[in-house]
Amino acid sequence: MYSNYSRLNTTEETLQDVHSSATNVSTEQMSPSPCPLLYSDYQFTLIPVLYCVIFVLGLAGNSVVVVVLCRHHGPKTVANIYIFNLAMADLLCLATLPLWAAYYAYGYNWIFGSVMCKISSSVLSLNMFASIFFITCMSMDRYRAIVYPIRSQRRTLQQASLIALLVWGLACLSSLPTFYFRDTYFIESLGVNACIMAFPYEKYAKWSAGTALMKNTLGFLIPLIVIATCYVWIWMHLTKAREFRKNKQKRDKVLKLVAAVVVAFLICWLPFHILTFLDALARMNIIDNCDITTVIDTTLPFGICLGFANSCINPLLYCFIGHQFQEKLQHLFKLRVYQFNSTRQSSSSRKGSYLKEAETPGDCDKERLNCKPTL
């Protein structure tokens, strides 16, 4: 039931780095650990299935968001710019999921080449940071719109676009270590060509701990503090606001959405970041209990699945639940149905007109004469 792998050069430096945890580069780059790494074989079948499900659902949801926002002819808003960029970040991440599903299915054997290893890993890291940063921006924007509605009207699309560019730039900078160190290496003992992070042996512990700390702090802790603070203030404002006190149903709907955003963020990302932090401690031999390291190595793939699942949940939370987005989606759907019916009616009208012209009295007589049986 279990496959034994030596816990050698294993890193979790990006969202998918658990894929390298069953591999090593060489004996010169070993990260010493007395504990063997146990992997249950069902991971190599269950994880690819979960990835495929997340890929299909996330691709459908985020594609609908992008199409609706692009086809909407009304005035654009600041929130729409953030939602569009969030959907694009999720789509970039989802585009690489089939590759990582195959990586698991082939037992950590990367068959797509060194360049795709580096690009796919960097895209995942980029998505992780960009998604969380855009969720943070949307939380701050929602806070301003609800708590300071008059002041928030000063926001411009140019400012939102500039912030979006800064977010992408910061996400790219945060992903540079992944782009630099990620590469493919043939693991002779396992007979696989693995896509792994190859830190310098002399500074392996420092690089591993540093990237994990950056990921935990910049990619989760700081955004979580900002998001939680914004929504706590929104909650306090709504419970005190006279308008929302009168309309309890409207207030409760907004508060439930606020709670859903925070809870979904925690469910999707907290397990991954806790396991990543514990894994970094294990690499520095601060945690040397083999039972704990086994639990970390076994559960980390599923923590990553939860992180990927956030790409499916984002469209539901930020778009489909929203009343304005539902109206845009219905308008687009009705427009498509109207265009389809108009095309059919136009085609039927042309056909009917042709038949009517063909059935004029003179033509009918001629047709009858021509249709007489002949010997």
Side-chain angles (χ1 to χ4, degrees), residues 216-268:
N216 291 148
T217 304
L218 189 61
F220 181 75
L221 187 59
I222 294 177
L224 176 62
I225 293 174
V226 175
I227 292 171
T229 302
C230 288
Y231 284 123
V232 166
W233 285 344
I234 290 175
W235 190 296
M236 294 172 60
H237 175 77
L238 292 180
T239 54
K240 296 178 181 179
R242 181 179 304 175
E243 175 186 355
F244 284 95
R245 281 205 306 265
K246 294 180 179 179
N247 194 340
K248 186 176 183 300
Q249 184 177 3
K250 180 180 179 181
R251 186 194 68 181
D252 292 343
K253 184 177 181 180
V254 176
L255 292 178
K256 288 179 181 179
L257 178 59
V258 167
V261 169
V262 178
V263 171
F265 184 85
L266 287 174
I267 291 176
C268 289

Side-chain angles (χ1 to χ4, degrees), residues 68 72 77 79-80 319 321-329:
V68 170
H72 178 61
T77 64
N80 286 347
C319 296
I321 295 178
H323 180 67
Q324 292 182 352
F325 185 86
Q326 290 178 4
E327 290 180 350
K328 294 176 184 178
L329 184 61

Side-chain angles (χ1 to χ4, degrees), residues 322-365:
H323 180 67
Q324 292 182 352
F325 185 86
Q326 290 178 4
E327 290 180 350
K328 294 176 184 178
L329 184 61
Q330 292 175 1
H331 175 74
L332 181 62
F333 178 75
K334 291 178 180 178
L335 181 63
R336 288 297 181 187
V337 172
Y338 174 77
Q339 291 175 347
F340 177 74
N341 291 335
S342 298
T343 303
R344 289 188 60 185
Q345 291 175 1
S346 177
S347 177
S348 300
S349 177
R350 287 195 299 268
K351 185 177 179 180
S353 177
Y354 172 78
L355 292 175
K356 186 175 181 180
E357 291 175 358
E359 293 178 359
T360 56
D363 291 335
C364 287
D365 293 339

Side-chain angles (χ1 to χ4, degrees), residues 126-195:
L126 177 67
N127 162 262
M128 183 185 72
F129 286 107
S131 295
I132 293 176
F133 292 163
F134 278 118
I135 291 173
T136 306
C137 290
M138 292 167 63
S139 301
M140 297 172 65
D141 181 71
R142 182 168 291 176
Y143 163 75
R144 291 187 60 190
I146 294 177
V147 179
Y148 302 104
I150 298 178
R151 189 185 305 177
S152 65
Q153 294 178 1
R154 302 174 185 173
R155 301 169 300 165
T156 63
L157 299 180
Q158 290 77 12
Q159 292 175 347
S161 300
L162 179 60
I163 292 175
L165 288 176
L166 292 176
V167 167
W168 284 111
L170 183 58
C172 288
L173 288 176
S174 304
S175 304
L176 283 180
T178 300
F179 182 80
Y180 184 79
F181 289 108
R182 177 69 67 164
D183 208 343
T184 55
Y185 289 90
F186 181 73
I187 312 303
E188 186 175 356
S189 60
L190 302 178
V192 297
N193 198 39
C195 177

